[in-house]
Amino acid sequence: MFTSSLDIEGLMALVSGKDPVCGIEVQADKAAGATIYEGKTYYFCAPACKAAFDADPAKYVSKG
């Protein structure tokens, strides 16, 4: 049986990503906001970056 000593706060601290607007690395537990777009969660360093992304997400997401 698998057990873990991580609680939800510990798990959130491990989740991170780059703010798609400015490129700053952001940890989920310290993010100014988050948006789910096409099934992926994006984290933002500041409310202004979240607002810019929410206004035109396709501008910031590469269709790779």
Side-chain angles (χ1 to χ4, degrees), residues 28-51:
D29 65 334
K30 293 180 174 58
T35 295
I36 298 173
Y37 176 69
E38 294 186 344
K40 182 175 178 187
T41 303
Y42 296 90
Y43 298 100
F44 303 95
C45 69
C49 286
K50 182 179 182 336

PDB file of all heavy atoms in Angstrom, residues 28-51:
ATOM      1  N   ALA A  28       2.383  26.642  -8.127  1.00  0.00           N
ATOM      2  CA  ALA A  28       0.927  26.716  -7.998  1.00  0.00           C
ATOM      3  C   ALA A  28       0.496  27.362  -6.692  1.00  0.00           C
ATOM      4  O   ALA A  28      -0.438  28.166  -6.673  1.00  0.00           O
ATOM      5  CB  ALA A  28       0.320  25.326  -8.129  1.00  0.00           C
ATOM      6  N   ASP A  29       1.171  27.045  -5.610  1.00  0.00           N
ATOM      7  CA  ASP A  29       0.753  27.584  -4.313  1.00  0.00           C
ATOM      8  C   ASP A  29       1.088  29.059  -4.131  1.00  0.00           C
ATOM      9  O   ASP A  29       0.622  29.691  -3.191  1.00  0.00           O
ATOM     10  CB  ASP A  29       1.336  26.761  -3.161  1.00  0.00           C
ATOM     11  CG  ASP A  29       2.845  26.821  -3.062  1.00  0.00           C
ATOM     12  OD1 ASP A  29       3.515  27.055  -4.092  1.00  0.00           O
ATOM     13  OD2 ASP A  29       3.378  26.617  -1.965  1.00  0.00           O
ATOM     14  N   LYS A  30       1.881  29.617  -5.026  1.00  0.00           N
ATOM     15  CA  LYS A  30       2.243  31.031  -4.942  1.00  0.00           C
ATOM     16  C   LYS A  30       1.719  31.829  -6.141  1.00  0.00           C
ATOM     17  O   LYS A  30       1.995  33.014  -6.262  1.00  0.00           O
ATOM     18  CB  LYS A  30       3.753  31.173  -4.838  1.00  0.00           C
ATOM     19  CG  LYS A  30       4.306  30.618  -3.536  1.00  0.00           C
ATOM     20  CD  LYS A  30       5.809  30.784  -3.468  1.00  0.00           C
ATOM     21  CE  LYS A  30       6.384  30.380  -2.137  1.00  0.00           C
ATOM     22  NZ  LYS A  30       6.139  29.042  -1.714  1.00  0.00           N
ATOM     23  N   ALA A  31       0.977  31.187  -7.034  1.00  0.00           N
ATOM     24  CA  ALA A  31       0.485  31.832  -8.245  1.00  0.00           C
ATOM     25  C   ALA A  31      -0.538  32.909  -7.933  1.00  0.00           C
ATOM     26  O   ALA A  31      -1.327  32.791  -6.993  1.00  0.00           O
ATOM     27  CB  ALA A  31      -0.134  30.792  -9.174  1.00  0.00           C
ATOM     28  N   ALA A  32      -0.537  33.960  -8.749  1.00  0.00           N
ATOM     29  CA  ALA A  32      -1.524  35.034  -8.619  1.00  0.00           C
ATOM     30  C   ALA A  32      -2.864  34.615  -9.213  1.00  0.00           C
ATOM     31  O   ALA A  32      -3.868  35.268  -8.984  1.00  0.00           O
ATOM     32  CB  ALA A  32      -1.012  36.292  -9.315  1.00  0.00           C
ATOM     33  N   GLY A  33      -2.858  33.531  -9.966  1.00  0.00           N
ATOM     34  CA  GLY A  33      -4.085  33.019 -10.568  1.00  0.00           C
ATOM     35  C   GLY A  33      -3.774  31.837 -11.455  1.00  0.00           C
ATOM     36  O   GLY A  33      -2.611  31.525 -11.718  1.00  0.00           O
ATOM     37  N   ALA A  34      -4.817  31.185 -11.902  1.00  0.00           N
ATOM     38  CA  ALA A  34      -4.669  30.030 -12.785  1.00  0.00           C
ATOM     39  C   ALA A  34      -5.863  29.982 -13.729  1.00  0.00           C
ATOM     40  O   ALA A  34      -6.950  30.440 -13.392  1.00  0.00           O
ATOM     41  CB  ALA A  34      -4.592  28.738 -11.985  1.00  0.00           C
ATOM     42  N   THR A  35      -5.627  29.435 -14.919  1.00  0.00           N
ATOM     43  CA  THR A  35      -6.675  29.250 -15.910  1.00  0.00           C
ATOM     44  C   THR A  35      -6.509  27.872 -16.524  1.00  0.00           C
ATOM     45  O   THR A  35      -5.378  27.451 -16.805  1.00  0.00           O
ATOM     46  CB  THR A  35      -6.574  30.315 -17.029  1.00  0.00           C
ATOM     47  OG1 THR A  35      -6.827  31.598 -16.480  1.00  0.00           O
ATOM     48  CG2 THR A  35      -7.562  30.052 -18.147  1.00  0.00           C
ATOM     49  N   ILE A  36      -7.605  27.180 -16.724  1.00  0.00           N
ATOM     50  CA  ILE A  36      -7.573  25.911 -17.459  1.00  0.00           C
ATOM     51  C   ILE A  36      -7.997  26.217 -18.886  1.00  0.00           C
ATOM     52  O   ILE A  36      -9.068  26.772 -19.128  1.00  0.00           O
ATOM     53  CB  ILE A  36      -8.505  24.870 -16.823  1.00  0.00           C
ATOM     54  CG1 ILE A  36      -8.051  24.560 -15.403  1.00  0.00           C
ATOM     55  CG2 ILE A  36      -8.542  23.596 -17.680  1.00  0.00           C
ATOM     56  CD1 ILE A  36      -9.000  23.673 -14.628  1.00  0.00           C
ATOM     57  N   TYR A  37      -7.126  25.879 -19.830  1.00  0.00           N
ATOM     58  CA  TYR A  37      -7.387  26.111 -21.246  1.00  0.00           C
ATOM     59  C   TYR A  37      -7.066  24.828 -21.999  1.00  0.00           C
ATOM     60  O   TYR A  37      -5.975  24.287 -21.875  1.00  0.00           O
ATOM     61  CB  TYR A  37      -6.532  27.273 -21.757  1.00  0.00           C
ATOM     62  CG  TYR A  37      -6.656  27.544 -23.231  1.00  0.00           C
ATOM     63  CD1 TYR A  37      -7.845  28.058 -23.764  1.00  0.00           C
ATOM     64  CD2 TYR A  37      -5.606  27.296 -24.099  1.00  0.00           C
ATOM     65  CE1 TYR A  37      -7.965  28.299 -25.123  1.00  0.00           C
ATOM     66  CE2 TYR A  37      -5.718  27.546 -25.452  1.00  0.00           C
ATOM     67  CZ  TYR A  37      -6.903  28.049 -25.963  1.00  0.00           C
ATOM     68  OH  TYR A  37      -7.019  28.293 -27.314  1.00  0.00           O
ATOM     69  N   GLU A  38      -8.028  24.334 -22.736  1.00  0.00           N
ATOM     70  CA  GLU A  38      -7.883  23.090 -23.500  1.00  0.00           C
ATOM     71  C   GLU A  38      -7.341  21.957 -22.627  1.00  0.00           C
ATOM     72  O   GLU A  38      -6.457  21.214 -23.036  1.00  0.00           O
ATOM     73  CB  GLU A  38      -7.033  23.318 -24.742  1.00  0.00           C
ATOM     74  CG  GLU A  38      -7.694  24.246 -25.745  1.00  0.00           C
ATOM     75  CD  GLU A  38      -6.943  24.386 -27.056  1.00  0.00           C
ATOM     76  OE1 GLU A  38      -5.744  24.021 -27.132  1.00  0.00           O
ATOM     77  OE2 GLU A  38      -7.562  24.887 -28.009  1.00  0.00           O
ATOM     78  N   GLY A  39      -7.850  21.868 -21.398  1.00  0.00           N
ATOM     79  CA  GLY A  39      -7.505  20.776 -20.503  1.00  0.00           C
ATOM     80  C   GLY A  39      -6.192  20.912 -19.760  1.00  0.00           C
ATOM     81  O   GLY A  39      -5.814  20.034 -18.993  1.00  0.00           O
ATOM     82  N   LYS A  40      -5.477  22.000 -19.945  1.00  0.00           N
ATOM     83  CA  LYS A  40      -4.203  22.209 -19.260  1.00  0.00           C
ATOM     84  C   LYS A  40      -4.331  23.416 -18.337  1.00  0.00           C
ATOM     85  O   LYS A  40      -4.947  24.413 -18.691  1.00  0.00           O
ATOM     86  CB  LYS A  40      -3.080  22.449 -20.269  1.00  0.00           C
ATOM     87  CG  LYS A  40      -1.736  22.632 -19.615  1.00  0.00           C
ATOM     88  CD  LYS A  40      -0.607  22.746 -20.615  1.00  0.00           C
ATOM     89  CE  LYS A  40       0.695  22.965 -19.872  1.00  0.00           C
ATOM     90  NZ  LYS A  40       1.797  23.235 -20.766  1.00  0.00           N
ATOM     91  N   THR A  41      -3.721  23.319 -17.152  1.00  0.00           N
ATOM     92  CA  THR A  41      -3.739  24.426 -16.206  1.00  0.00           C
ATOM     93  C   THR A  41      -2.509  25.297 -16.405  1.00  0.00           C
ATOM     94  O   THR A  41      -1.385  24.799 -16.456  1.00  0.00           O
ATOM     95  CB  THR A  41      -3.780  23.914 -14.754  1.00  0.00           C
ATOM     96  OG1 THR A  41      -4.921  23.072 -14.604  1.00  0.00           O
ATOM     97  CG2 THR A  41      -3.869  25.066 -13.768  1.00  0.00           C
ATOM     98  N   TYR A  42      -2.746  26.589 -16.526  1.00  0.00           N
ATOM     99  CA  TYR A  42      -1.681  27.579 -16.665  1.00  0.00           C
ATOM    100  C   TYR A  42      -1.682  28.454 -15.413  1.00  0.00           C
ATOM    101  O   TYR A  42      -2.733  28.894 -14.967  1.00  0.00           O
ATOM    102  CB  TYR A  42      -1.912  28.453 -17.907  1.00  0.00           C
ATOM    103  CG  TYR A  42      -1.840  27.657 -19.186  1.00  0.00           C
ATOM    104  CD1 TYR A  42      -2.980  27.060 -19.717  1.00  0.00           C
ATOM    105  CD2 TYR A  42      -0.636  27.484 -19.845  1.00  0.00           C
ATOM    106  CE1 TYR A  42      -2.913  26.313 -20.877  1.00  0.00           C
ATOM    107  CE2 TYR A  42      -0.561  26.733 -21.011  1.00  0.00           C
ATOM    108  CZ  TYR A  42      -1.708  26.154 -21.526  1.00  0.00           C
ATOM    109  OH  TYR A  42      -1.630  25.409 -22.669  1.00  0.00           O
ATOM    110  N   TYR A  43      -0.488  28.705 -14.870  1.00  0.00           N
ATOM    111  CA  TYR A  43      -0.330  29.513 -13.662  1.00  0.00           C
ATOM    112  C   TYR A  43       0.292  30.855 -14.032  1.00  0.00           C
ATOM    113  O   TYR A  43       1.098  30.936 -14.965  1.00  0.00           O
ATOM    114  CB  TYR A  43       0.557  28.783 -12.648  1.00  0.00           C
ATOM    115  CG  TYR A  43      -0.050  27.490 -12.197  1.00  0.00           C
ATOM    116  CD1 TYR A  43       0.361  26.275 -12.722  1.00  0.00           C
ATOM    117  CD2 TYR A  43      -1.062  27.483 -11.249  1.00  0.00           C
ATOM    118  CE1 TYR A  43      -0.223  25.084 -12.323  1.00  0.00           C
ATOM    119  CE2 TYR A  43      -1.648  26.294 -10.840  1.00  0.00           C
ATOM    120  CZ  TYR A  43      -1.227  25.107 -11.382  1.00  0.00           C
ATOM    121  OH  TYR A  43      -1.811  23.934 -10.974  1.00  0.00           O
ATOM    122  N   PHE A  44      -0.064  31.893 -13.264  1.00  0.00           N
ATOM    123  CA  PHE A  44       0.373  33.246 -13.586  1.00  0.00           C
ATOM    124  C   PHE A  44       1.045  33.916 -12.399  1.00  0.00           C
ATOM    125  O   PHE A  44       0.645  33.724 -11.258  1.00  0.00           O
ATOM    126  CB  PHE A  44      -0.837  34.075 -14.053  1.00  0.00           C
ATOM    127  CG  PHE A  44      -1.514  33.429 -15.229  1.00  0.00           C
ATOM    128  CD1 PHE A  44      -2.600  32.594 -15.040  1.00  0.00           C
ATOM    129  CD2 PHE A  44      -1.031  33.605 -16.509  1.00  0.00           C
ATOM    130  CE1 PHE A  44      -3.206  31.947 -16.108  1.00  0.00           C
ATOM    131  CE2 PHE A  44      -1.635  32.970 -17.585  1.00  0.00           C
ATOM    132  CZ  PHE A  44      -2.722  32.147 -17.384  1.00  0.00           C
ATOM    133  N   CYS A  45       2.046  34.740 -12.709  1.00  0.00           N
ATOM    134  CA  CYS A  45       2.805  35.440 -11.673  1.00  0.00           C
ATOM    135  C   CYS A  45       2.065  36.674 -11.171  1.00  0.00           C
ATOM    136  O   CYS A  45       2.315  37.127 -10.058  1.00  0.00           O
ATOM    137  CB  CYS A  45       4.177  35.829 -12.188  1.00  0.00           C
ATOM    138  SG  CYS A  45       4.134  37.112 -13.459  1.00  0.00           S
ATOM    139  N   ALA A  46       1.177  37.223 -11.985  1.00  0.00           N
ATOM    140  CA  ALA A  46       0.485  38.465 -11.631  1.00  0.00           C
ATOM    141  C   ALA A  46      -0.906  38.488 -12.268  1.00  0.00           C
ATOM    142  O   ALA A  46      -1.110  37.869 -13.314  1.00  0.00           O
ATOM    143  CB  ALA A  46       1.291  39.660 -12.114  1.00  0.00           C
ATOM    144  N   PRO A  47      -1.831  39.220 -11.663  1.00  0.00           N
ATOM    145  CA  PRO A  47      -3.173  39.329 -12.243  1.00  0.00           C
ATOM    146  C   PRO A  47      -3.162  39.870 -13.678  1.00  0.00           C
ATOM    147  O   PRO A  47      -3.991  39.465 -14.499  1.00  0.00           O
ATOM    148  CB  PRO A  47      -3.899  40.285 -11.291  1.00  0.00           C
ATOM    149  CG  PRO A  47      -3.199  40.106  -9.979  1.00  0.00           C
ATOM    150  CD  PRO A  47      -1.760  39.881 -10.342  1.00  0.00           C
ATOM    151  N   ALA A  48      -2.236  40.766 -14.000  1.00  0.00           N
ATOM    152  CA  ALA A  48      -2.177  41.319 -15.355  1.00  0.00           C
ATOM    153  C   ALA A  48      -1.836  40.244 -16.384  1.00  0.00           C
ATOM    154  O   ALA A  48      -2.371  40.251 -17.498  1.00  0.00           O
ATOM    155  CB  ALA A  48      -1.158  42.458 -15.417  1.00  0.00           C
ATOM    156  N   CYS A  49      -0.958  39.312 -16.025  1.00  0.00           N
ATOM    157  CA  CYS A  49      -0.617  38.217 -16.953  1.00  0.00           C
ATOM    158  C   CYS A  49      -1.824  37.301 -17.159  1.00  0.00           C
ATOM    159  O   CYS A  49      -2.094  36.875 -18.276  1.00  0.00           O
ATOM    160  CB  CYS A  49       0.577  37.424 -16.430  1.00  0.00           C
ATOM    161  SG  CYS A  49       2.152  38.289 -16.610  1.00  0.00           S
ATOM    162  N   LYS A  50      -2.557  37.017 -16.084  1.00  0.00           N
ATOM    163  CA  LYS A  50      -3.753  36.190 -16.202  1.00  0.00           C
ATOM    164  C   LYS A  50      -4.787  36.873 -17.094  1.00  0.00           C
ATOM    165  O   LYS A  50      -5.392  36.243 -17.960  1.00  0.00           O
ATOM    166  CB  LYS A  50      -4.346  35.877 -14.832  1.00  0.00           C
ATOM    167  CG  LYS A  50      -5.581  34.974 -14.920  1.00  0.00           C
ATOM    168  CD  LYS A  50      -6.140  34.650 -13.564  1.00  0.00           C
ATOM    169  CE  LYS A  50      -7.324  33.724 -13.545  1.00  0.00           C
ATOM    170  NZ  LYS A  50      -8.169  33.610 -14.691  1.00  0.00           N
ATOM    171  N   ALA A  51      -4.982  38.171 -16.907  1.00  0.00           N
ATOM    172  CA  ALA A  51      -5.960  38.914 -17.712  1.00  0.00           C
ATOM    173  C   ALA A  51      -5.574  38.905 -19.184  1.00  0.00           C
ATOM    174  O   ALA A  51      -6.437  38.724 -20.059  1.00  0.00           O
ATOM    175  CB  ALA A  51      -6.079  40.345 -17.199  1.00  0.00           C
TER     176      ALA A  51
END
